[in-house]
């Protein structure tokens, strides 16, 4: 961190002495006020529900400027990465800080490909779940369970262990997600095939069967790869912060990533694209495209309880840069699969048109976000709605690991311990039960 020339001064209206606090500068983005000694100096904590104004760490991985609609991985704009790199190149970048050269790319892809299989006993682990269990419930268990199978890479304080765990998680997550899907469908599992790409291999494990050869559609393959890139990391969001907090206790990497999977499951986070598709299907069931206008009027009415999913974003106050890329992919996929006239997709387009033209939504900058388009693309590909968040977890795994590795290598990191503003009862005595 770079110490700024200026300092922050905290003054009190009750006559208590002022306190000076250091200010640090990042390479880009807002400066931060160092409040680590605030309690020692004043006996007070800061109060920041949701950590909306608190930087809990320093990071060199991902930068977001919500006002500009900018997303950078290690300094590279997401638009350039999505158009010029594949997912495994992006993984290498997030993990090691630079894009790979040809040899590094080939070596990394080979290493990942050689670790895509999972221990055969994972199949027996799966059998303990109900067939109708939500895939995220299954995935949370499977990822956490990896620590029971790979004992040689569970020391989170060992950089070599963390790197081995990183490769294993990136390589095996597609296999685990596909297994969770196949188990729920009652279909036989498909083993990975080493001559396919990362996305192509996942497609085959998802949609292939042992009775015939599976042919990878290159347009769909590229669309899935782009979904992975766009979801690979997103700075200090809820699930990433969960992984960091979990890892700060010294737990093993698999347990920390499993915690991230569990957090991502929430409909306000990774489940947003699932919620978006459920919304579209609900509109379709209640009258379809003819009822879109009526639905949007209900959204405007705050007393109706009707929410517009897939629009607006907690961070972006401009157009989500990932949404523009996902919109391109969405149109390509619909054209490739002949789904331009599908009723649900037509409904989505109508919803988007109203949101982009109606002053109510324009003034509030409720632009379509990446969840709106990625949900449509995944449905077109054939991925069931309840697996959308699993795809997100697959993609975000590399970001979680990169953030975890960065934290563990930071000499200033400490076990997470948020403080509170206590509003409960003051100390009181316990009365005998007859007097209560």
């Amino acid at each position: 961190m770079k110490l700024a020339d200026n300092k922050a001064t905290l003054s009190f209206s009750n006559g208590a002495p002022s306190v000076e606090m250091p200010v640090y500068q990042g390479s880009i983005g807002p400066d931060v006020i160092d409040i680590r000694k605030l309690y020692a100096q004043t006996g007070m904590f800061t109060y920041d529900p949701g950590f909306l104004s608190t930087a809990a760490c320093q990071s060199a991985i991902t930068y977001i400027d919500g006002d500009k609609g900018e997303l950078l991985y290690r300094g590279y704009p997401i638009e350039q990465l999505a158009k010029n790199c594949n997912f495994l190149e992006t993984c290498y970048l997030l993990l090691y800080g630079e894009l790979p050269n040809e040899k590094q790319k080939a070596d990394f892809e080979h290493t990942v490909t050689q670790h895509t299989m999972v221990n055969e006993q994972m199949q027996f682990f799966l059998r303990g779940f109900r067939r109708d269990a939500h895939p995220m419930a299954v995935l949370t268990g499977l990822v956490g369970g990896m620590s029971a199978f790979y004992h040689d890479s569970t020391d989170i304080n060992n950089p070599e262990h963390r790197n081995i765990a990183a490769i294993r998680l990136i390589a095996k997550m597609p296999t685990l997600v596909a297994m969770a899907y196949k188990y729920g469908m009652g279909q036989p599992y498909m083993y990975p095939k080493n001559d396919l790409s990362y996305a192509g291999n996942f497609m085959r494990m998802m949609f292939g069967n042992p009775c015939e050869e599976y042919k990878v559609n290159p347009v769909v393959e590229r669309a899935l790869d782009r979904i992975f890139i766009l979801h690979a990391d997103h700075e200090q969001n809820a699930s990433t912060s969960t992984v960091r907090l979990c890892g700060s206790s010294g737990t093993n990497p698999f347990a920390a990533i499993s915690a991230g999977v569990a957090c991502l499951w929430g409909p306000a986070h990774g489940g947003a694209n699932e919620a978006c598709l459920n919304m579209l299907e609900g509109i379709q069931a209640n009258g379809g495209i003819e009822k879109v206008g009526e639905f949007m009027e209900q959204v405007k009415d705050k007393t109706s309880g009707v929410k517009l999913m897939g629009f607006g974003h907690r961070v972006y106050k401009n157009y989500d840069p990932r949404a523009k890329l996902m919109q391109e992919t969405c149109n390509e996929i619909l054209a490739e699969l002949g789904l331009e006239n599908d009723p649900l997709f037509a409904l989505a387009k109508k919803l988007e048109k109203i949101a982009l033209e109606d002053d109510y939504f324009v003034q509030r900058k409720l632009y379509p976000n990446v969840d709106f388009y990625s949900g449509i693309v995944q449905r077109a590909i054939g991925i069931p709605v309840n697996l959308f968040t699993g795809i997100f977890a697959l993609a975000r795994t590399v970001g979680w690991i990169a953030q975890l590795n960065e934290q563990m290598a930071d000499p200033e990191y400490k076990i997470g311990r948020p403080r509170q503003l206590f509003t409960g009862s003051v100390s009181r005595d316990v009365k005998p039960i007859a007097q209560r």
Side-chain angles (χ1 to χ4, degrees):
M1 293 189 295
K2 179 184 177 184
L3 192 64
D5 295 331
N6 60 307
K7 293 184 177 180
T9 302
L10 178 64
S11 60
F12 303 89
S13 60
N14 63 359
S18 298
V19 176
E20 280 195 346
M21 291 169 288
V23 175
Y24 288 97
Q25 297 175 325
S27 51
I28 47 177
D31 295 346
V32 299
I33 300 170
D34 187 347
I35 62 169
R36 283 175 288 184
K37 295 182 180 179
L38 182 66
Y39 179 66
Q41 292 175 313
T42 68
M44 290 187 285
F45 302 128
T46 58
Y47 181 63
D48 186 20
F51 308 107
L52 301 184
S53 298
T54 299
C57 65
Q58 54 178 307
S59 180
I61 299 171
T62 301
Y63 174 75
I64 299 170
D65 188 321
D67 294 325
K68 292 181 180 178
E70 182 179 64
L71 172 61
L72 309 176
Y73 289 171
R74 300 285 191 181
Y76 293 105
I78 191 65
E79 296 89 342
Q80 295 181 25
L81 290 170
K83 292 178 179 178
N84 300 311
C85 300
N86 66 23
F87 178 63
L88 287 183
E89 286 178 271
T90 306
C91 288
Y92 188 98
L93 170 68
L94 291 172
L95 287 175
Y96 306 119
E98 297 292 342
L99 285 169
N101 58 33
E102 288 186 12
K103 183 179 186 307
Q104 289 168 333
K105 178 176 181 287
D107 289 346
F108 184 71
E109 289 182 346
H110 175 76
T111 302
V112 170
T113 301
Q114 293 301 310
H115 288 83
T116 51
M117 292 186 68
V118 298
N119 192 294
E120 283 290 286
Q121 286 183 263
M122 295 292 273
Q123 294 189 27
F124 301 106
F125 186 15
L126 260 173
R127 292 178 190 175
F129 293 98
R130 286 173 53 112
R131 292 277 182 184
D132 60 354
H134 194 289
M136 287 298 283
V138 176
L139 199 57
T140 302
L142 290 178
V143 175
M146 286 179 70
S147 57
F149 293 94
Y150 303 103
H151 303 289
D152 60 341
S153 56
T154 55
D155 183 358
I156 203 169
N157 295 303
N158 185 322
E160 185 179 353
H161 281 212
R162 293 199 305 271
N163 191 57
I164 293 170
I167 296 298
R168 283 176 168 160
L169 280 159
I170 293 168
K172 299 178 193 302
M173 277 296 283
T175 310
L176 295 178
V177 173
M179 286 176 70
Y181 170 70
K182 289 292 195 184
Y183 178 74
M185 295 292 289
Q187 296 179 2
Y189 307 122
M190 295 290 289
Y191 286 104
K193 196 172 182 183
N194 290 354
D195 61 350
L196 295 176
S197 71
Y198 190 86
N201 196 20
F202 176 63
M203 289 169 58
R204 179 180 173 276
M205 289 190 291
M206 281 282 293
F207 304 119
N209 67 72
C211 303
E212 57 191 27
E213 190 64 29
Y214 180 81
K215 293 182 180 179
V216 176
N217 182 321
V219 177
V220 176
E221 179 182 25
R222 179 56 186 159
L224 203 52
D225 193 78
R226 177 170 283 190
I227 287 175
F228 295 160
I229 292 173
L230 298 183
H231 289 84
D233 196 54
H234 210 237
E235 209 221 71
Q236 307 308 317
N237 52 78
S239 58
T240 297
S241 298
T242 297
V243 170
R244 279 182 173 264
L245 187 61
C246 189
S248 75
S249 72
T251 190
N252 69 78
F254 302 109
I257 300 306
S258 179
V261 175
C263 181
L264 192 70
W265 191 358
H269 190 11
N273 50 15
E274 181 177 343
C276 179
L277 255 293
N278 288 334
M279 175 194 72
L280 292 175
E281 289 176 346
I283 298 172
Q284 182 66 19
N286 289 310
I289 198 167
E290 301 299 325
K291 296 292 183 178
V292 171
E294 181 180 317
F295 174 82
M296 295 299 262
E297 289 302 317
Q298 289 178 318
V299 170
K300 295 182 197 178
D301 181 2
K302 293 182 179 179
T303 64
S304 70
V306 175
K307 292 184 179 181
L308 180 62
M309 308 303 296
F311 289 78
H313 195 277
R314 171 79 169 270
V315 174
Y316 297 111
K317 305 309 175 188
N318 203 319
Y319 212 99
D320 182 343
R322 302 169 301 167
K324 296 177 183 177
L325 296 159
M326 207 67 249
Q327 184 186 46
E328 293 175 9
T329 298
C330 184
N331 291 329
E332 290 171 5
I333 282 292
L334 298 187
E336 172 68 17
L337 302 178
L339 293 171
E340 302 99 322
N341 298 320
D342 182 277
L344 201 64
F345 300 139
L347 190 157
K349 290 290 184 183
K350 178 70 173 178
L351 202 68
E352 175 190 33
K353 186 175 187 296
I354 293 175
L356 293 177
E357 294 176 355
D358 190 301
D359 286 343
Y360 178 90
F361 301 102
V362 173
Q363 289 174 7
R364 289 164 175 76
K365 298 184 178 181
L366 294 176
Y367 303 110
N369 59 39
V370 69
D371 297 313
F372 182 75
Y373 297 111
S374 67
I376 295 172
V377 171
Q378 290 182 72
R379 180 182 182 274
I381 291 172
I383 296 170
V385 174
N386 67 353
L387 196 65
F388 286 1
T389 318
I391 304 297
F392 195 159
L394 188 169
R396 183 55 58 83
T397 294
V398 63
W400 289 332
I401 299 166
Q403 296 276 350
L404 187 62
N405 286 351
E406 182 180 64
Q407 172 183 271
M408 302 312 294
D410 184 350
E412 293 191 333
Y413 107 86
K414 295 177 174 61
I415 183 171
R417 180 58 170 88
R419 309 309 291 252
Q420 66 178 14
L421 174 64
F422 182 70
T423 58
S425 298
V426 296
S427 179
R428 50 184 174 167
D429 296 324
V430 177
K431 296 179 180 179
I433 193 167
Q435 298 177 23
R436 293 177 206 164

